[in-house]
Coordinates of all heavy atoms in Angstrom, one line a residue:
M207 N 27.6 150.0 24.3 CA 28.3 149.5 23.1 C 28.9 148.2 23.3 O 29.6 147.9 24.3 CB 29.2 150.5 22.6 CG 28.7 151.9 22.2 SD 30.0 153.0 21.8 CE 29.7 152.9 20.1
I208 N 28.7 147.4 22.3 CA 29.2 146.0 22.5 C 30.8 145.9 22.1 O 31.5 145.1 22.6 CB 28.5 145.0 21.6 CG1 28.9 143.6 21.9 CG2 28.8 145.2 20.1 CD1 27.8 142.5 21.5
T209 N 31.3 147.0 21.4 CA 32.7 147.0 21.1 C 33.5 147.0 22.2 O 34.6 146.5 22.2 CB 33.0 148.2 20.1 OG1 32.0 148.2 19.1 CG2 34.2 148.2 19.6
L210 N 33.1 147.8 23.4 CA 33.9 147.8 24.5 C 34.1 146.5 25.2 O 35.2 146.3 25.8 CB 33.3 148.9 25.5 CG 33.3 150.3 25.1 CD1 32.6 151.2 26.1 CD2 34.7 150.8 24.8
Q211 N 33.1 145.6 25.2 CA 33.2 144.4 25.8 C 34.0 143.4 24.9 O 34.8 142.7 25.4 CB 31.8 143.8 26.0 CG 30.9 144.5 26.9 CD 29.4 144.2 26.8 OE1 29.1 143.5 25.9 NE2 28.6 144.5 27.8
I212 N 34.0 143.6 23.6 CA 34.9 142.9 22.8 C 36.4 143.3 23.0 O 37.2 142.4 23.0 CB 34.5 143.0 21.3 CG1 33.1 142.4 21.0 CG2 35.5 142.5 20.3 CD1 32.6 142.6 19.6
I213 N 36.6 144.5 23.1 CA 37.9 145.0 23.4 C 38.5 144.4 24.6 O 39.7 143.9 24.8 CB 38.1 146.5 23.5 CG1 37.8 147.1 22.0 CG2 39.3 147.0 23.9 CD1 37.7 148.6 22.1
Q214 N 37.6 144.2 25.7 CA 38.1 143.8 26.9 C 38.4 142.2 26.8 O 39.4 141.8 27.4 CB 37.0 143.9 28.0 CG 36.8 145.5 28.4 CD 35.7 145.7 29.3 OE1 34.8 144.8 29.6 NE2 35.6 146.8 29.9
I215 N 37.6 141.6 26.1 CA 38.0 140.1 26.0 C 39.1 140.0 25.0 O 39.9 139.0 25.4 CB 36.7 139.4 25.1 CG1 35.5 139.5 26.1 CG2 37.1 138.0 24.7 CD1 34.2 139.0 25.4
V216 N 39.3 140.7 23.9 CA 40.6 140.7 23.1 C 41.7 141.0 23.9 O 42.8 140.4 23.9 CB 40.4 141.5 21.9 CG1 41.7 141.6 21.2 CG2 39.3 141.0 20.9
Y217 N 41.6 142.0 24.8 CA 42.8 142.4 25.8 C 43.2 141.1 26.6 O 44.4 140.9 26.5 CB 42.4 143.5 26.6 CG 43.5 143.6 27.8 CD1 44.6 144.2 27.5 CD2 43.1 143.2 29.0 CE1 45.6 144.3 28.5 CE2 44.0 143.4 30.1 CZ 45.3 143.8 29.7 OH 46.2 144.1 30.8
I218 N 42.3 140.5 27.2 CA 42.7 139.3 28.0 C 43.4 138.2 27.2 O 44.3 137.7 27.7 CB 41.4 138.8 28.7 CG1 41.0 139.8 29.8 CG2 41.8 137.5 29.5 CD1 39.5 139.5 30.4
V219 N 42.8 138.0 26.1 CA 43.3 136.8 25.2 C 44.8 137.2 24.7 O 45.6 136.4 24.9 CB 42.4 136.6 24.0 CG1 43.0 135.6 23.0 CG2 41.1 136.0 24.5
V220 N 44.9 138.4 24.2 CA 46.2 138.8 23.7 C 47.2 138.9 24.9 O 48.4 138.5 24.8 CB 46.2 140.1 22.9 CG1 47.6 140.5 22.5 CG2 45.4 139.8 21.7
A221 N 46.8 139.4 26.1 CA 47.7 139.5 27.2 C 48.2 138.0 27.6 O 49.4 137.9 28.0 CB 46.9 140.2 28.4
I222 N 47.3 137.1 27.6 CA 47.7 135.7 27.9 C 48.7 135.3 26.9 O 49.7 134.7 27.3 CB 46.5 134.7 28.0 CG1 45.7 135.3 29.3 CG2 46.9 133.3 28.0 CD1 44.3 134.6 29.4
L223 N 48.5 135.5 25.6 CA 49.4 135.0 24.6 C 50.8 135.7 24.8 O 51.8 135.2 24.6 CB 48.8 135.3 23.2 CG 47.7 134.5 22.7 CD1 47.1 135.0 21.3 CD2 47.9 133.1 22.8
I224 N 50.7 137.0 25.1 CA 52.0 137.7 25.3 C 52.7 137.0 26.4 O 54.0 136.8 26.4 CB 51.8 139.2 25.5 CG1 51.3 140.0 24.2 CG2 53.0 139.8 26.1 CD1 50.9 141.3 24.5
T225 N 52.0 136.8 27.6 CA 52.7 136.2 28.7 C 53.3 134.7 28.3 O 54.4 134.5 28.6 CB 51.7 136.0 29.8 OG1 51.3 137.4 30.1 CG2 52.4 135.5 31.1
I226 N 52.5 133.9 27.6 CA 53.0 132.6 27.2 C 54.2 132.8 26.3 O 55.1 132.0 26.6 CB 51.8 131.9 26.6 CG1 50.8 131.5 27.5 CG2 52.4 130.6 25.9 CD1 49.5 130.9 26.9
M227 N 54.1 133.7 25.4 CA 55.3 133.9 24.5 C 56.6 134.2 25.3 O 57.7 133.7 25.0 CB 55.0 134.8 23.4 CG 54.1 134.3 22.3 SD 53.8 135.5 21.2 CE 55.3 136.0 20.5
A228 N 56.4 135.1 26.2 CA 57.5 135.7 27.0 C 58.1 134.5 28.0 O 59.2 134.4 28.0 CB 57.1 136.8 27.9
L229 N 57.2 133.7 28.5 CA 57.6 132.7 29.4 C 58.3 131.5 28.4 O 59.3 130.9 29.0 CB 56.4 132.0 30.2 CG 55.8 132.9 31.2 CD1 54.7 132.2 31.8 CD2 56.8 133.2 32.3
A230 N 57.8 131.4 27.4 CA 58.6 130.3 26.4 C 60.0 130.9 26.0 O 61.0 130.1 26.0 CB 57.6 130.2 25.1
A231 N 60.0 132.2 25.9 CA 61.4 132.6 25.6 C 62.3 132.7 26.8 O 63.5 132.4 26.7 CB 61.3 134.2 25.0
M232 N 61.7 132.8 28.0 CA 62.6 132.9 29.3 C 63.0 131.5 29.6 O 64.2 131.3 30.0 CB 61.7 133.4 30.4 CG 61.4 134.9 30.2 SD 60.2 135.6 31.4 CE 61.1 135.3 32.9
F233 N 62.1 130.5 29.5 CA 62.4 129.1 29.9 C 62.6 128.2 28.9 O 62.6 127.0 29.1 CB 61.4 128.6 31.0 CG 61.4 129.6 32.1 CD1 60.2 130.4 32.4 CD2 62.4 129.8 33.1 CE1 60.1 131.3 33.4 CE2 62.3 130.6 34.1 CZ 61.2 131.3 34.3
G234 N 62.5 128.6 27.6 CA 62.5 127.7 26.5 C 63.9 127.1 26.1 O 64.1 126.5 25.1
G235 N 64.9 127.4 26.9 CA 66.3 126.9 26.5 C 66.9 127.6 25.3 O 67.6 127.0 24.6
G236 N 66.5 128.9 25.1 CA 67.1 129.7 23.9 C 68.5 129.8 24.1 O 69.2 129.8 25.1
R237 N 69.3 130.0 22.9 CA 70.7 130.1 22.9 C 71.2 131.6 22.8 O 72.2 131.9 22.4 CB 71.2 129.5 21.7 CG 70.9 128.0 21.7 CD 71.5 127.3 20.5 NE 70.9 126.1 20.4 CZ 70.7 125.3 19.3 NH1 71.1 125.9 18.2 NH2 70.3 124.1 19.3
G238 N 70.1 132.6 23.1 CA 70.5 134.0 23.0 C 70.7 134.4 21.5 O 69.7 134.3 20.8
G239 N 71.9 135.0 21.2 CA 72.0 135.5 19.8 C 72.3 134.5 18.8 O 72.6 134.7 17.7
D240 N 72.4 133.2 19.1 CA 72.8 132.1 18.3 C 71.5 131.7 17.5 O 70.7 131.2 17.9 CB 73.3 130.9 19.1 CG 73.8 129.8 18.1 OD1 73.9 130.1 16.9 OD2 73.9 128.6 18.7
F241 N 71.6 132.2 16.2 CA 70.5 131.8 15.3 C 70.6 130.6 14.5 O 70.1 130.4 13.4 CB 70.2 133.0 14.3 CG 69.9 134.3 15.2 CD1 70.6 135.3 15.3 CD2 68.6 134.3 15.6 CE1 70.3 136.4 16.0 CE2 68.1 135.4 16.3 CZ 68.9 136.5 16.5
S242 N 71.5 129.7 14.9 CA 71.7 128.4 14.2 C 70.5 127.5 14.4 O 70.3 126.6 13.4 CB 72.9 127.8 14.6 OG 72.8 127.4 16.0
G243 N 69.7 127.6 15.3 CA 68.5 126.8 15.6 C 67.4 127.4 14.9 O 67.3 128.3 14.2
P244 N 66.1 126.9 15.3 CA 64.9 127.5 14.8 C 64.7 128.9 15.1 O 65.0 129.2 16.4 CB 63.8 126.5 15.3 CG 64.3 125.9 16.4 CD 65.9 125.7 16.1
I245 N 64.3 129.8 14.3 CA 64.1 131.2 14.6 C 62.7 131.4 14.8 O 61.9 131.2 13.9 CB 64.8 132.1 13.5 CG1 66.2 131.8 13.5 CG2 64.5 133.5 13.9 CD1 66.9 132.6 12.4
G246 N 62.1 131.8 15.9 CA 60.8 132.2 16.2 C 60.6 133.7 16.4 O 61.7 134.4 16.3
P247 N 59.4 134.1 16.5 CA 59.2 135.5 16.6 C 59.9 136.1 17.9 O 60.4 137.2 17.8 CB 57.7 135.8 16.8 CG 57.2 134.4 17.1 CD 58.2 133.3 16.5
M248 N 60.0 135.4 19.0 CA 60.8 135.9 20.2 C 62.2 136.1 19.9 O 62.9 136.9 20.4 CB 60.5 135.0 21.4 CG 59.1 135.1 21.9 SD 58.6 136.7 22.4 CE 59.9 137.2 23.5
S249 N 62.9 135.1 19.1 CA 64.2 135.2 18.8 C 64.6 136.5 18.0 O 65.5 137.1 18.2 CB 64.6 134.0 18.1 OG 64.5 132.8 18.9
M250 N 63.6 136.8 17.1 CA 63.8 138.0 16.3 C 63.6 139.2 17.1 O 64.3 140.3 16.8 CB 63.0 137.9 15.0 CG 63.4 136.8 14.0 SD 62.4 136.7 12.7 CE 60.9 136.0 13.1
L251 N 62.6 139.2 18.0 CA 62.3 140.5 18.7 C 63.4 140.7 19.8 O 63.7 141.8 20.0 CB 61.0 140.3 19.3 CG 59.9 140.5 18.3 CD1 58.5 140.1 19.1 CD2 59.8 141.7 17.7
T252 N 63.7 139.8 20.6 CA 64.5 140.0 21.8 C 65.9 139.3 21.9 O 66.6 139.5 22.9 CB 63.7 139.6 23.1 OG1 63.5 138.1 23.0 CG2 62.3 140.2 23.2
G253 N 66.0 138.5 21.0 CA 67.3 137.6 20.9 C 67.1 136.3 21.7 O 68.1 135.6 21.9
G254 N 65.9 136.1 22.3 CA 65.6 135.0 23.2 C 66.3 135.1 24.5 O 66.8 136.2 24.9
G255 N 66.3 134.0 25.3 CA 67.0 134.0 26.7 C 66.1 134.7 27.7 O 65.0 135.2 27.4
F256 N 66.5 134.5 28.9 CA 65.8 134.9 30.0 C 65.5 136.3 30.2 O 64.4 136.9 30.3 CB 66.4 134.5 31.3 CG 65.6 134.7 32.5 CD1 64.6 133.8 32.9 CD2 65.8 135.8 33.3 CE1 63.9 134.0 34.0 CE2 65.1 136.1 34.4 CZ 64.0 135.2 34.8
I257 N 66.6 137.2 29.9 CA 66.4 138.7 29.9 C 65.5 139.2 28.8 O 64.7 140.1 29.2 CB 67.9 139.3 29.8 CG1 68.7 138.9 31.1 CG2 67.7 140.9 29.9 CD1 68.2 139.3 32.5
G258 N 65.7 138.7 27.6 CA 64.8 139.0 26.5 C 63.4 138.7 26.8 O 62.4 139.5 26.4
G259 N 63.1 137.6 27.3 CA 61.8 137.2 27.7 C 61.2 138.0 28.7 O 59.9 138.4 28.7
L260 N 61.9 138.3 29.6 CA 61.5 139.1 30.8 C 61.2 140.6 30.3 O 60.2 141.2 30.7 CB 62.5 139.3 31.9 CG 62.1 140.0 33.2 CD1 61.0 139.3 33.8 CD2 63.3 140.1 34.1
I261 N 62.0 141.2 29.5 CA 61.7 142.5 28.8 C 60.5 142.4 27.9 O 59.6 143.3 28.1 CB 63.0 143.0 28.0 CG1 64.2 143.3 28.9 CG2 62.5 144.1 27.1 CD1 65.4 143.5 28.1
F262 N 60.2 141.3 27.1 CA 59.0 141.3 26.3 C 57.9 141.1 27.2 O 56.7 141.6 26.9 CB 59.2 140.0 25.4 CG 58.0 140.0 24.5 CD1 57.9 140.9 23.5 CD2 57.1 139.0 24.6 CE1 56.9 140.9 22.5 CE2 56.1 138.9 23.5 CZ 56.0 139.9 22.6
L263 N 57.9 140.4 28.4 CA 56.9 140.2 29.4 C 56.3 141.6 29.9 O 55.1 141.8 29.8 CB 57.2 139.2 30.4 CG 56.3 139.0 31.5 CD1 55.1 138.2 30.9 CD2 56.9 138.3 32.8
V264 N 57.3 142.3 30.3 CA 56.9 143.6 30.9 C 56.5 144.7 29.8 O 55.4 145.2 29.9 CB 58.0 144.2 31.8 CG1 57.7 145.6 32.3 CG2 58.3 143.2 33.0
V265 N 57.4 144.9 28.8 CA 56.9 145.9 27.8 C 55.9 145.5 26.9 O 55.0 146.3 26.6 CB 58.4 146.2 27.0 CG1 58.0 147.1 25.8 CG2 59.4 146.7 27.9
G266 N 55.8 144.3 26.6 CA 54.6 143.8 25.8 C 53.3 143.9 26.3 O 52.4 144.5 25.8
N267 N 53.3 143.6 27.7 CA 51.9 143.7 28.4 C 51.6 145.2 28.7 O 50.4 145.6 28.6 CB 52.0 142.8 29.7 CG 51.6 141.4 29.4 OD1 50.6 141.1 28.8 ND2 52.4 140.6 29.9
V268 N 52.5 146.0 29.1 CA 52.3 147.4 29.3 C 51.9 148.1 28.0 O 50.9 148.8 28.0 CB 53.5 148.0 29.9 CG1 53.3 149.6 29.9 CG2 53.8 147.5 31.4
A269 N 52.6 147.9 26.9 CA 52.3 148.5 25.6 C 50.9 148.0 25.2 O 50.1 148.8 24.6 CB 53.3 148.1 24.5
W270 N 50.6 146.7 25.3 CA 49.2 146.3 24.9 C 48.1 146.8 25.8 O 47.0 147.2 25.3 CB 49.2 144.7 25.0 CG 47.8 144.1 24.7 CD1 47.1 143.4 25.5 CD2 47.2 144.3 23.4 NE1 45.9 143.0 24.8 CE2 46.0 143.5 23.6 CE3 47.4 144.9 22.3 CZ2 45.1 143.4 22.5 CZ3 46.5 144.8 21.1 CH2 45.3 144.0 21.3
R271 N 48.3 147.1 27.1 CA 47.4 147.6 27.9 C 47.2 149.1 27.5 O 46.0 149.6 27.5 CB 47.9 147.6 29.3 CG 47.0 148.2 30.4 CD 45.7 147.6 30.6 NE 44.9 148.2 31.5 CZ 44.3 147.6 32.6 NH1 44.5 146.4 32.8 NH2 43.5 148.4 33.3
M272 N 48.2 149.8 27.3 CA 48.1 151.1 26.9 C 47.2 151.3 25.6 O 46.4 152.2 25.5 CB 49.5 151.8 26.7 CG 50.1 152.1 28.1 SD 51.9 152.6 27.9 CE 51.8 154.0 26.9
W273 N 47.6 150.5 24.6 CA 46.9 150.6 23.3 C 45.4 150.3 23.6 O 44.5 151.0 23.0 CB 47.4 149.5 22.4 CG 46.7 149.5 21.1 CD1 45.9 148.6 20.5 CD2 47.0 150.5 20.1 NE1 45.6 148.9 19.4 CE2 46.1 150.1 19.1 CE3 47.6 151.7 20.0 CZ2 46.0 151.0 17.8 CZ3 47.5 152.6 18.9 CH2 46.7 152.1 17.8
C274 N 45.0 149.2 24.3 CA 43.6 149.0 24.6 C 42.9 150.0 25.2 O 41.8 150.4 25.0 CB 43.5 147.7 25.3 SG 43.9 146.2 24.3
E275 N 43.6 150.7 26.3 CA 43.0 151.7 27.1 C 42.8 153.0 26.1 O 41.7 153.6 26.2 CB 43.9 152.2 28.2 CG 44.0 151.2 29.3 CD 42.8 151.1 30.2 OE1 42.0 152.1 30.2 OE2 42.5 150.2 30.9
L276 N 43.7 153.2 25.1 CA 43.5 154.2 24.2 C 42.3 154.2 23.4 O 41.5 155.1 23.1 CB 44.8 154.4 23.5 CG 44.8 155.5 22.3 CD1 44.8 156.9 23.1 CD2 46.0 155.4 21.5
I277 N 42.1 152.9 22.8 CA 40.9 152.6 22.2 C 39.6 152.8 22.9 O 38.7 153.4 22.4 CB 40.9 151.2 21.6 CG1 42.1 151.1 20.5 CG2 39.7 150.8 20.9 CD1 42.4 149.7 20.1
I278 N 39.7 152.4 24.2 CA 38.5 152.6 25.0 C 38.2 154.0 25.2 O 37.1 154.5 25.3 CB 38.7 151.8 26.4 CG1 38.6 150.3 26.1 CG2 37.7 152.2 27.4 CD1 38.9 149.4 27.3
V279 N 39.2 154.8 25.4 CA 39.1 156.3 25.7 C 38.5 156.8 24.3 O 37.6 157.8 24.5 CB 40.5 157.0 26.0 CG1 40.4 158.4 25.7 CG2 40.9 156.6 27.4
F280 N 38.9 156.5 23.2 CA 38.3 157.0 22.0 C 36.8 156.8 21.9 O 36.0 157.6 21.5 CB 39.0 156.4 20.7 CG 40.4 157.0 20.5 CD1 41.3 156.2 19.9 CD2 40.7 158.3 20.9 CE1 42.7 156.7 19.6 CE2 42.0 158.8 20.7 CZ 43.0 158.0 20.1
F281 N 36.4 155.5 22.3 CA 35.0 155.2 22.3 C 34.3 156.1 23.3 O 33.2 156.5 23.0 CB 34.7 153.7 22.6 CG 34.9 152.9 21.4 CD1 36.1 152.1 21.1 CD2 33.9 152.9 20.4 CE1 36.3 151.3 20.0 CE2 34.1 152.1 19.2 CZ 35.2 151.3 19.0
R282 N 34.8 156.3 24.5 CA 34.1 157.2 25.5 C 34.1 158.5 25.0 O 33.0 159.3 25.4 CB 34.8 156.9 26.8 CG 34.6 155.6 27.4 CD 34.8 155.5 28.9 NE 34.5 154.3 29.3 CZ 35.3 153.5 30.2 NH1 36.2 154.0 30.7 NH2 34.9 152.2 30.5
I283 N 35.1 159.1 24.4 CA 35.0 160.4 23.8 C 33.8 160.5 22.8 O 33.0 161.5 22.8 CB 36.4 160.8 23.1 CG1 37.4 161.0 24.2 CG2 36.2 162.1 22.3 CD1 38.8 161.3 23.7
N284 N 33.8 159.6 22.0 CA 32.7 159.4 20.9 C 31.4 159.5 21.6 O 30.4 160.2 21.2 CB 32.9 158.3 20.0 CG 31.9 158.2 19.0 OD1 31.5 159.3 18.5 ND2 31.5 157.1 18.5
K285 N 31.2 158.7 22.6 CA 29.8 158.7 23.4 C 29.5 160.0 24.1 O 28.4 160.3 23.9 CB 29.9 157.5 24.3 CG 28.7 157.3 25.1 CD 28.9 156.3 26.2 CE 27.6 156.0 27.1 NZ 27.7 155.1 28.1
T286 N 30.5 160.7 24.6 CA 30.2 161.9 25.2 C 30.0 162.9 24.1 O 29.0 163.8 24.4 CB 31.5 162.4 26.1 OG1 31.8 161.3 27.0 CG2 31.3 163.5 26.7
L287 N 30.6 163.0 23.1 CA 30.3 164.0 22.1 C 28.9 163.7 21.4 O 28.2 164.7 21.2 CB 31.4 163.8 20.9 CG 32.8 164.4 21.3 CD1 33.7 164.2 20.1 CD2 32.7 165.9 21.5
N288 N 28.5 162.5 21.3 CA 27.2 162.2 20.8 C 26.1 162.7 21.9 O 25.1 163.2 21.6 CB 26.8 160.7 20.6 CG 27.6 160.3 19.4 OD1 27.8 161.0 18.5 ND2 28.0 159.0 19.3
N289 N 26.4 162.5 23.2 CA 25.5 163.0 24.2 C 25.3 164.5 24.2 O 24.4 165.0 24.3 CB 25.9 162.5 25.6 CG 25.6 161.1 25.8 OD1 24.9 160.4 25.1 ND2 26.4 160.5 26.7
I290 N 26.5 165.2 24.0 CA 26.5 166.7 23.8 C 25.7 167.1 22.7 O 24.9 168.0 22.7 CB 28.0 167.2 23.8 CG1 28.6 167.0 25.1 CG2 27.9 168.7 23.4 CD1 30.1 167.2 25.0
E291 N 25.7 166.5 21.6 CA 25.1 166.7 20.3 C 23.7 166.5 20.5 O 22.8 167.4 20.1 CB 25.5 165.9 19.2 CG 25.0 166.2 17.8 CD 25.5 165.4 16.7 OE1 26.4 164.5 16.9 OE2 24.9 165.6 15.6
I292 N 23.2 165.4 21.2 CA 21.8 165.2 21.3 C 21.2 166.0 22.3 O 20.1 166.7 22.2 CB 21.7 163.6 21.6 CG1 22.0 162.8 20.4 CG2 20.2 163.3 22.0 CD1 22.0 161.3 20.7
N293 N 21.7 166.1 23.6 CA 21.1 166.8 24.7 C 21.6 168.2 24.9 O 20.9 169.0 25.5 CB 21.5 166.1 25.9 CG 21.0 164.6 26.0 OD1 19.9 164.3 25.3 ND2 21.7 163.8 26.6
G294 N 22.7 168.7 24.1 CA 23.3 170.0 24.3 C 23.8 170.2 25.7 O 24.2 171.2 25.9
K295 N 24.1 169.1 26.3 CA 24.8 169.2 27.7 C 25.6 167.8 27.8 O 25.4 166.8 27.2 CB 24.0 169.5 28.9 CG 22.9 168.4 29.0 CD 22.0 168.8 30.2 CE 20.9 167.7 30.3 NZ 20.1 167.9 31.4
I296 N 26.5 167.9 28.8 CA 27.2 166.7 29.1 C 26.5 165.7 29.8 O 25.8 166.0 30.8 CB 28.7 167.0 29.9 CG1 29.4 167.9 28.9 CG2 29.3 165.9 30.2 CD1 30.7 168.3 29.5

């Protein structure tokens, strides 16, 4: 199935984006909870700063990996069920 390959490509692209956003929050010179400057998505999610970016780096990449693995498992379950239906065995 081509969908599994697409999921793998999308996983890599989004993981890179998550990492870039987290590094930008960590080293972007954020003011923490001070919202007087421009407010980006990282400021709203983590409050900015080094610790917030580090949390987003770890939690964001782990959550994204788990989500993609779950989708892949669903496709493999579907494939196995189709094989059982067609062949009558696993």
Side-chain angles (χ1 to χ4, degrees):
M207 296 177 101
I208 194 159
T209 308
L210 293 176
Q211 294 166 345
I212 291 173
I213 290 172
Q214 292 171 351
I215 292 169
V216 169
Y217 165 75
I218 292 170
V219 170
V220 174
I222 290 170
L223 290 175
I224 289 171
T225 303
I226 290 171
M227 287 176 56
L229 291 174
M232 290 168 67
F233 301 112
R237 299 181 195 151
D240 182 15
F241 293 108
S242 61
I245 299 175
M248 287 306 299
S249 297
M250 291 185 283
L251 290 174
T252 63
F256 186 82
I257 300 297
L260 187 63
I261 291 170
F262 187 72
L263 178 68
V264 173
V265 174
N267 277 312
V268 168
W270 178 241
R271 174 71 184 234
M272 288 172 56
W273 182 253
C274 289
E275 290 285 340
L276 182 66
I277 292 172
I278 290 172
V279 166
F280 287 151
F281 277 104
R282 290 198 175 144
I283 289 171
N284 183 32
K285 181 179 176 182
T286 303
L287 289 175
N288 284 335
N289 287 341
I290 292 172
E291 182 179 2
I292 292 170
N293 298 331
K295 60 181 178 178
I296 295 178

